[in-house]
Amino acid sequence: VVVAVVLTNLSSATSDLSRRIQELSTLNQVSHVLQSTLDLESLLAVIHTEVTRILGVDNFYVALVDPQQPRIWYPLAVKHGKRQHWAPRILLPDRLTDRVIQEGKPILMTPEVKEELERAGLPSSEESPAAWMGVPLIAAENTVGCLAVFSTEPDSILTQADQDLLTTLSGQVGVAIENSLLYDQTQRRAAQ
């Protein structure tokens, strides 16, 4: 029994160490890309690839606030591994993405709080998420958007450790996105 307990603890520690190494590798990869490009598409593609790989989800999106209007737009949305084109929409107080943006705080919804998830304002769809997580993208003390992942698989789990990883990434990503948008704006003005 003692040997079994020791082996179980060792296996758990090995699994935790492996996960931590993956997280650090992801942070390193994203950090490298964020420093090397101002192209929004490239930034979001790498973030999407790394986040979905480490969290094991195939639903991911980035929602950004339009600074001129109270609305959000989606430069990248992927559902079931396929790129989506979601139309811009007005900010609403009863949607999870909007709450993350307006409150500037992460939200983690898990299967254990499914009822709360439904009451929290997810739009109705044929596939209601079993787990959803969104973190604010903050730059210069302003929330510029939300980075979110979700799963429709009933046995999927998103954890506090997952939220911590996304929160760590979101600090770098928010600044990089804002820099990319400012660069695009400057290029458009120069072209005009």
Short mmCIF file of all heavy atoms in Angstrom, two decimals, residues 51-92:
data_model
loop_
_atom_site.label_atom_id
_atom_site.label_comp_id
_atom_site.label_asym_id
_atom_site.label_seq_id
_atom_site.Cartn_x
_atom_site.Cartn_y
_atom_site.Cartn_z
N VAL A 51 -2.40 27.93 -27.38
CA VAL A 51 -3.41 27.81 -26.32
C VAL A 51 -4.25 26.55 -26.51
O VAL A 51 -4.48 25.80 -25.56
CB VAL A 51 -4.30 29.07 -26.26
CG1 VAL A 51 -5.53 28.84 -25.40
CG2 VAL A 51 -3.49 30.25 -25.72
N THR A 52 -4.71 26.31 -27.74
CA THR A 52 -5.55 25.12 -27.95
C THR A 52 -4.75 23.83 -27.77
O THR A 52 -5.28 22.83 -27.32
CB THR A 52 -6.23 25.15 -29.34
OG1 THR A 52 -5.24 25.29 -30.36
CG2 THR A 52 -7.23 26.28 -29.41
N ARG A 53 -3.46 23.88 -28.11
CA ARG A 53 -2.61 22.69 -27.93
C ARG A 53 -2.46 22.35 -26.45
O ARG A 53 -2.68 21.21 -26.04
CB ARG A 53 -1.23 22.90 -28.55
CG ARG A 53 -0.28 21.72 -28.36
CD ARG A 53 1.10 22.01 -28.90
NE ARG A 53 1.74 23.14 -28.27
CZ ARG A 53 2.39 23.10 -27.11
NH1 ARG A 53 2.47 21.97 -26.45
NH2 ARG A 53 2.95 24.18 -26.61
N ILE A 54 -2.14 23.33 -25.65
CA ILE A 54 -1.87 23.03 -24.24
C ILE A 54 -3.14 22.77 -23.44
O ILE A 54 -3.16 21.95 -22.53
CB ILE A 54 -1.01 24.14 -23.57
CG1 ILE A 54 -0.42 23.60 -22.28
CG2 ILE A 54 -1.82 25.39 -23.34
CD1 ILE A 54 0.71 24.39 -21.73
N LEU A 55 -4.25 23.43 -23.80
CA LEU A 55 -5.50 23.23 -23.05
C LEU A 55 -6.35 22.09 -23.62
O LEU A 55 -7.31 21.67 -22.98
CB LEU A 55 -6.31 24.52 -23.02
CG LEU A 55 -5.67 25.70 -22.30
CD1 LEU A 55 -6.61 26.89 -22.28
CD2 LEU A 55 -5.24 25.34 -20.89
N GLY A 56 -6.02 21.64 -24.81
CA GLY A 56 -6.77 20.54 -25.40
C GLY A 56 -8.20 20.89 -25.77
O GLY A 56 -9.09 20.06 -25.64
N VAL A 57 -8.42 22.12 -26.22
CA VAL A 57 -9.75 22.54 -26.67
C VAL A 57 -9.67 22.93 -28.14
O VAL A 57 -8.60 23.27 -28.64
CB VAL A 57 -10.29 23.73 -25.85
CG1 VAL A 57 -10.52 23.34 -24.40
CG2 VAL A 57 -9.37 24.92 -25.92
N ASP A 58 -10.80 22.87 -28.83
CA ASP A 58 -10.78 23.28 -30.23
C ASP A 58 -11.70 24.47 -30.51
O ASP A 58 -12.05 24.74 -31.64
CB ASP A 58 -11.07 22.11 -31.17
CG ASP A 58 -12.43 21.49 -30.95
OD1 ASP A 58 -13.13 21.89 -30.00
OD2 ASP A 58 -12.80 20.59 -31.73
N ASN A 59 -12.09 25.16 -29.46
CA ASN A 59 -12.92 26.36 -29.58
C ASN A 59 -12.18 27.52 -28.91
O ASN A 59 -11.86 27.45 -27.73
CB ASN A 59 -14.28 26.14 -28.92
CG ASN A 59 -15.01 24.96 -29.53
OD1 ASN A 59 -15.34 24.96 -30.69
ND2 ASN A 59 -15.22 23.92 -28.73
N PHE A 60 -11.95 28.56 -29.68
CA PHE A 60 -11.10 29.65 -29.23
C PHE A 60 -11.55 30.92 -29.94
O PHE A 60 -11.91 30.88 -31.11
CB PHE A 60 -9.66 29.34 -29.65
CG PHE A 60 -8.66 30.44 -29.45
CD1 PHE A 60 -7.91 30.50 -28.29
CD2 PHE A 60 -8.46 31.41 -30.42
CE1 PHE A 60 -6.97 31.51 -28.11
CE2 PHE A 60 -7.53 32.42 -30.25
CZ PHE A 60 -6.78 32.46 -29.08
N TYR A 61 -11.53 32.04 -29.22
CA TYR A 61 -11.77 33.31 -29.91
C TYR A 61 -11.14 34.47 -29.17
O TYR A 61 -10.84 34.39 -27.98
CB TYR A 61 -13.26 33.57 -30.17
CG TYR A 61 -14.13 33.74 -28.95
CD1 TYR A 61 -14.34 34.99 -28.38
CD2 TYR A 61 -14.78 32.65 -28.38
CE1 TYR A 61 -15.16 35.16 -27.27
CE2 TYR A 61 -15.62 32.80 -27.29
CZ TYR A 61 -15.79 34.05 -26.74
OH TYR A 61 -16.60 34.20 -25.65
N VAL A 62 -10.91 35.53 -29.93
CA VAL A 62 -10.44 36.79 -29.37
C VAL A 62 -11.48 37.82 -29.76
O VAL A 62 -11.82 37.96 -30.95
CB VAL A 62 -9.05 37.17 -29.93
CG1 VAL A 62 -8.67 38.58 -29.49
CG2 VAL A 62 -8.00 36.17 -29.48
N ALA A 63 -12.01 38.52 -28.78
CA ALA A 63 -12.98 39.60 -29.01
C ALA A 63 -12.30 40.90 -28.60
O ALA A 63 -11.73 40.99 -27.52
CB ALA A 63 -14.23 39.38 -28.17
N LEU A 64 -12.34 41.89 -29.49
CA LEU A 64 -11.70 43.17 -29.20
C LEU A 64 -12.75 44.27 -29.17
O LEU A 64 -13.73 44.24 -29.91
CB LEU A 64 -10.64 43.49 -30.26
CG LEU A 64 -9.48 42.52 -30.35
CD1 LEU A 64 -8.55 42.91 -31.48
CD2 LEU A 64 -8.73 42.44 -29.03
N VAL A 65 -12.50 45.26 -28.32
CA VAL A 65 -13.39 46.40 -28.19
C VAL A 65 -13.08 47.40 -29.30
O VAL A 65 -11.92 47.74 -29.53
CB VAL A 65 -13.22 47.08 -26.81
CG1 VAL A 65 -14.09 48.32 -26.71
CG2 VAL A 65 -13.52 46.11 -25.70
N ASP A 66 -14.11 47.85 -29.97
CA ASP A 66 -13.96 48.92 -30.97
C ASP A 66 -13.88 50.23 -30.18
O ASP A 66 -14.83 50.59 -29.49
CB ASP A 66 -15.15 48.93 -31.91
CG ASP A 66 -15.01 49.93 -33.04
OD1 ASP A 66 -14.28 50.93 -32.88
OD2 ASP A 66 -15.64 49.72 -34.08
N PRO A 67 -12.75 50.95 -30.25
CA PRO A 67 -12.60 52.14 -29.42
C PRO A 67 -13.55 53.28 -29.79
O PRO A 67 -13.79 54.17 -28.99
CB PRO A 67 -11.15 52.56 -29.64
CG PRO A 67 -10.72 51.89 -30.88
CD PRO A 67 -11.58 50.68 -31.07
N GLN A 68 -14.11 53.25 -31.01
CA GLN A 68 -15.00 54.33 -31.43
C GLN A 68 -16.47 54.09 -31.12
O GLN A 68 -17.24 55.03 -31.10
CB GLN A 68 -14.87 54.55 -32.92
CG GLN A 68 -13.54 54.86 -33.11
CD GLN A 68 -12.64 55.17 -34.03
OE1 GLN A 68 -12.85 54.95 -35.17
NE2 GLN A 68 -11.60 55.70 -33.48
N GLN A 69 -16.83 52.83 -30.87
CA GLN A 69 -18.22 52.49 -30.62
C GLN A 69 -18.29 51.48 -29.48
O GLN A 69 -17.34 50.74 -29.27
CB GLN A 69 -18.86 51.87 -31.86
CG GLN A 69 -18.81 52.74 -33.08
CD GLN A 69 -19.37 52.00 -34.28
OE1 GLN A 69 -20.22 51.14 -34.15
NE2 GLN A 69 -18.87 52.33 -35.45
N PRO A 70 -19.41 51.42 -28.80
CA PRO A 70 -19.52 50.40 -27.74
C PRO A 70 -19.87 49.04 -28.35
O PRO A 70 -20.96 48.53 -28.18
CB PRO A 70 -20.64 50.94 -26.85
CG PRO A 70 -21.51 51.72 -27.80
CD PRO A 70 -20.57 52.30 -28.83
N ARG A 71 -18.93 48.47 -29.10
CA ARG A 71 -19.16 47.16 -29.70
C ARG A 71 -17.86 46.36 -29.69
O ARG A 71 -16.78 46.90 -29.48
CB ARG A 71 -19.71 47.28 -31.12
CG ARG A 71 -18.74 47.85 -32.09
CD ARG A 71 -19.33 47.93 -33.49
NE ARG A 71 -18.26 48.26 -34.41
CZ ARG A 71 -18.20 47.88 -35.65
NH1 ARG A 71 -19.17 47.16 -36.14
NH2 ARG A 71 -17.20 48.21 -36.42
N ILE A 72 -18.01 45.06 -29.93
CA ILE A 72 -16.85 44.19 -30.03
C ILE A 72 -16.82 43.54 -31.40
O ILE A 72 -17.86 43.39 -32.06
CB ILE A 72 -16.81 43.13 -28.91
CG1 ILE A 72 -18.04 42.22 -28.96
CG2 ILE A 72 -16.68 43.78 -27.56
CD1 ILE A 72 -17.98 41.08 -27.96
N TRP A 73 -15.61 43.19 -31.80
CA TRP A 73 -15.42 42.49 -33.07
C TRP A 73 -14.46 41.33 -32.84
O TRP A 73 -13.74 41.30 -31.84
CB TRP A 73 -14.93 43.44 -34.16
CG TRP A 73 -13.64 44.14 -33.86
CD1 TRP A 73 -13.44 45.17 -32.98
CD2 TRP A 73 -12.36 43.87 -34.43
NE1 TRP A 73 -12.12 45.55 -32.97
CE2 TRP A 73 -11.43 44.78 -33.86
CE3 TRP A 73 -11.90 42.96 -35.38
CZ2 TRP A 73 -10.08 44.78 -34.20
CZ3 TRP A 73 -10.55 42.98 -35.73
CH2 TRP A 73 -9.67 43.88 -35.13
N TYR A 74 -14.48 40.37 -33.73
CA TYR A 74 -13.74 39.13 -33.55
C TYR A 74 -12.69 38.95 -34.65
O TYR A 74 -13.00 38.46 -35.73
CB TYR A 74 -14.70 37.94 -33.57
CG TYR A 74 -15.77 38.01 -32.52
CD1 TYR A 74 -16.99 38.65 -32.78
CD2 TYR A 74 -15.58 37.46 -31.27
CE1 TYR A 74 -17.98 38.72 -31.81
CE2 TYR A 74 -16.56 37.53 -30.29
CZ TYR A 74 -17.76 38.17 -30.58
OH TYR A 74 -18.72 38.23 -29.61
N PRO A 75 -11.44 39.32 -34.39
CA PRO A 75 -10.41 39.13 -35.41
C PRO A 75 -10.08 37.65 -35.61
O PRO A 75 -9.59 37.26 -36.66
CB PRO A 75 -9.21 39.90 -34.87
CG PRO A 75 -9.43 39.97 -33.41
CD PRO A 75 -10.92 40.00 -33.21
N LEU A 76 -10.36 36.81 -34.60
CA LEU A 76 -10.14 35.38 -34.74
C LEU A 76 -11.17 34.63 -33.91
O LEU A 76 -11.33 34.88 -32.71
CB LEU A 76 -8.74 34.97 -34.28
CG LEU A 76 -8.42 33.48 -34.37
CD1 LEU A 76 -8.48 32.98 -35.81
CD2 LEU A 76 -7.06 33.17 -33.77
N ALA A 77 -11.87 33.72 -34.56
CA ALA A 77 -12.82 32.84 -33.89
C ALA A 77 -12.70 31.47 -34.53
O ALA A 77 -12.75 31.34 -35.75
CB ALA A 77 -14.25 33.37 -34.01
N VAL A 78 -12.53 30.45 -33.70
CA VAL A 78 -12.40 29.08 -34.18
C VAL A 78 -13.36 28.22 -33.37
O VAL A 78 -13.34 28.23 -32.14
CB VAL A 78 -10.95 28.56 -34.00
CG1 VAL A 78 -10.84 27.12 -34.44
CG2 VAL A 78 -9.97 29.45 -34.75
N LYS A 79 -14.21 27.48 -34.09
CA LYS A 79 -15.16 26.58 -33.42
C LYS A 79 -15.00 25.20 -34.03
O LYS A 79 -15.04 25.05 -35.25
CB LYS A 79 -16.59 27.10 -33.60
CG LYS A 79 -17.60 26.34 -32.77
CD LYS A 79 -18.94 27.03 -32.79
CE LYS A 79 -19.93 26.27 -31.92
NZ LYS A 79 -21.24 26.87 -31.95
N HIS A 80 -14.81 24.22 -33.17
CA HIS A 80 -14.56 22.83 -33.59
C HIS A 80 -13.39 22.76 -34.57
O HIS A 80 -13.41 22.01 -35.53
CB HIS A 80 -15.81 22.19 -34.19
CG HIS A 80 -16.95 22.14 -33.25
ND1 HIS A 80 -16.89 21.48 -32.04
CD2 HIS A 80 -18.19 22.69 -33.31
CE1 HIS A 80 -18.04 21.62 -31.42
NE2 HIS A 80 -18.84 22.35 -32.15
N GLY A 81 -12.39 23.58 -34.32
CA GLY A 81 -11.18 23.57 -35.13
C GLY A 81 -11.30 24.27 -36.47
O GLY A 81 -10.34 24.29 -37.23
N LYS A 82 -12.44 24.89 -36.75
CA LYS A 82 -12.64 25.57 -38.03
C LYS A 82 -12.82 27.07 -37.82
O LYS A 82 -13.56 27.50 -36.93
CB LYS A 82 -13.86 25.01 -38.75
CG LYS A 82 -13.67 23.58 -39.16
CD LYS A 82 -14.86 23.06 -39.90
CE LYS A 82 -14.61 21.60 -40.23
NZ LYS A 82 -15.81 20.89 -40.55
N ARG A 83 -12.15 27.83 -38.65
CA ARG A 83 -12.22 29.30 -38.58
C ARG A 83 -13.65 29.76 -38.81
O ARG A 83 -14.33 29.29 -39.71
CB ARG A 83 -11.28 29.88 -39.64
CG ARG A 83 -11.20 31.38 -39.66
CD ARG A 83 -10.11 31.85 -38.72
NE ARG A 83 -10.11 33.28 -38.61
CZ ARG A 83 -9.08 34.03 -38.94
NH1 ARG A 83 -7.98 33.51 -39.39
NH2 ARG A 83 -9.14 35.33 -38.77
N GLN A 84 -14.10 30.70 -38.00
CA GLN A 84 -15.44 31.27 -38.09
C GLN A 84 -15.33 32.76 -38.39
O GLN A 84 -14.32 33.38 -38.08
CB GLN A 84 -16.19 31.11 -36.76
CG GLN A 84 -16.27 29.69 -36.26
CD GLN A 84 -17.21 28.83 -37.05
OE1 GLN A 84 -18.37 29.17 -37.22
NE2 GLN A 84 -16.70 27.74 -37.59
N HIS A 85 -16.36 33.33 -38.95
CA HIS A 85 -16.42 34.77 -39.17
C HIS A 85 -17.66 35.29 -38.44
O HIS A 85 -18.77 35.17 -38.93
CB HIS A 85 -16.48 35.08 -40.67
CG HIS A 85 -15.25 34.64 -41.40
ND1 HIS A 85 -14.06 35.32 -41.33
CD2 HIS A 85 -15.01 33.55 -42.15
CE1 HIS A 85 -13.15 34.69 -42.02
NE2 HIS A 85 -13.70 33.60 -42.53
N TRP A 86 -17.41 35.81 -37.25
CA TRP A 86 -18.49 36.33 -36.42
C TRP A 86 -18.60 37.83 -36.64
O TRP A 86 -17.61 38.56 -36.62
CB TRP A 86 -18.24 36.03 -34.95
CG TRP A 86 -18.25 34.55 -34.63
CD1 TRP A 86 -18.70 33.54 -35.41
CD2 TRP A 86 -17.78 33.95 -33.42
NE1 TRP A 86 -18.55 32.34 -34.76
CE2 TRP A 86 -17.98 32.55 -33.55
CE3 TRP A 86 -17.21 34.44 -32.26
CZ2 TRP A 86 -17.64 31.65 -32.54
CZ3 TRP A 86 -16.87 33.55 -31.26
CH2 TRP A 86 -17.09 32.17 -31.39
N ALA A 87 -19.82 38.28 -36.83
CA ALA A 87 -20.07 39.70 -37.07
C ALA A 87 -19.83 40.52 -35.80
O ALA A 87 -20.04 40.03 -34.69
CB ALA A 87 -21.51 39.89 -37.54
N PRO A 88 -19.39 41.77 -35.97
CA PRO A 88 -19.29 42.65 -34.80
C PRO A 88 -20.66 42.81 -34.15
O PRO A 88 -21.69 42.69 -34.83
CB PRO A 88 -18.81 43.98 -35.39
CG PRO A 88 -18.25 43.64 -36.72
CD PRO A 88 -18.98 42.43 -37.20
N ARG A 89 -20.66 43.07 -32.87
CA ARG A 89 -21.94 43.25 -32.17
C ARG A 89 -21.77 44.25 -31.04
O ARG A 89 -20.66 44.51 -30.57
CB ARG A 89 -22.48 41.92 -31.65
CG ARG A 89 -21.61 41.28 -30.60
CD ARG A 89 -22.28 40.05 -30.01
NE ARG A 89 -21.43 39.41 -29.03
CZ ARG A 89 -21.25 39.83 -27.80
NH1 ARG A 89 -21.84 40.91 -27.35
NH2 ARG A 89 -20.46 39.17 -26.97
N ILE A 90 -22.87 44.76 -30.60
CA ILE A 90 -22.88 45.75 -29.52
C ILE A 90 -22.54 45.06 -28.20
O ILE A 90 -22.84 43.88 -28.01
CB ILE A 90 -24.25 46.45 -29.45
CG1 ILE A 90 -24.17 47.67 -28.56
CG2 ILE A 90 -25.33 45.52 -28.97
CD1 ILE A 90 -25.26 48.68 -28.83
N LEU A 91 -21.89 45.77 -27.30
CA LEU A 91 -21.60 45.24 -25.97
C LEU A 91 -22.90 45.10 -25.18
O LEU A 91 -23.73 46.02 -25.16
CB LEU A 91 -20.67 46.18 -25.20
CG LEU A 91 -19.18 46.04 -25.51
CD1 LEU A 91 -18.42 47.24 -24.99
CD2 LEU A 91 -18.63 44.78 -24.92
N LEU A 92 -23.07 43.96 -24.52
CA LEU A 92 -24.26 43.69 -23.73
C LEU A 92 -23.85 43.30 -22.31
O LEU A 92 -22.81 42.67 -22.12
CB LEU A 92 -25.06 42.55 -24.36
CG LEU A 92 -25.55 42.79 -25.79
CD1 LEU A 92 -26.06 41.51 -26.40
CD2 LEU A 92 -26.62 43.86 -25.79
#
